[in-house]
Amino acid sequence: MTEIVAGATIDTARRTLAARLAAAGLDSPELDARLLVGHAMQLDLTGLVMHGQRQLSQEDAQRLDVLAVRRLAGEPVARILGTREFWGLELQLSADTLVPRPDTETVVELALEHLTAGGDLKRRLRIADLGTGSGAILLALLSELPRAYGVGTDISVAALETARDNARALGLADRAGFVACSFAAALQAPFDLIVSNPPYIPSTDIEDLAIEVRAHDPRRALDGGGDGLDAYRALIPQAARLLQPGGALVVEVGVGQSGDVATLMTEAGLAADSAGVRADLGGISRAVMALKKVR
Ligand code: GLN
């Protein structure tokens, strides 16, 4: 296997690494190589192009090799870098947070569309994000809703620390609070909007997930119990109690779960209909919304 050696240029190291990642069958070898070389050399993507002819020192080559070995062992680039972009926001990650997925932006979109239909996005709003992890969904919403206040909950205190750091770094900390509890257990009514991307993978399916997910995302952020729906059974009735009349619950769901989740919402007294299901870019029904009835 071609090694990354001191004295090679940044361009050569990037191409060598991309070839190594491609040979290992990884999905996006070119992009991964750019991000990893950039991380090792502390250059952004523009800097990489500008300094393509700079030579790697011994330490640079060693540092890059360590990153390459981690990626080849199945660690996702986002975990190696410690950050991931979501809704245009840069989020810090930790071992206790899920890596935010582009699919989850579907939840943000559906929630914002609902709020837009209900009037001005600049009105006062109360939002809760149940199982907030890195804070991704809550912070994306707060970044779009200048007079909204939000609370993110998580059973992981370490995740809450990451979420709080993200809120600070994004200048949203004065409108975001974080509470250690299971879903909405410690929250009091009323909320205009409740969102959640809970664990929804059936327990026995976890070992079939890609190594990037199964070995690196926190298991309790993935594991939805026997049929994958345990979290919805817990959080939907809580959310139904906490919403204002006319308020919305928007949740992410796994493949094939939208119908079952809509049924759980209806059983909790919420109004769910087919208009409240939104597909992600891969065409999978990914976000489900239901409304608290007005009376
Ligand atoms: N979207 C993740 C996956 O399929 C699962 C996240 C979750 O359970 N909420 O890899």
Side-chain angles (χ1 to χ4, degrees), residues 86-87 89 91 100 104 108 129 132-141:
F86 180 81
W87 201 261
L89 309 173
L91 297 174
T104 303
V108 178
D129 179 9
T132 196
S134 61
I137 302 176
L138 179 65
L139 298 174
L141 289 168

Side-chain angles (χ1 to χ4, degrees), residues 167-178:
R168 281 204 193 116
L170 295 168
L172 297 169
D174 57 346
R175 296 190 287 120
F178 296 97

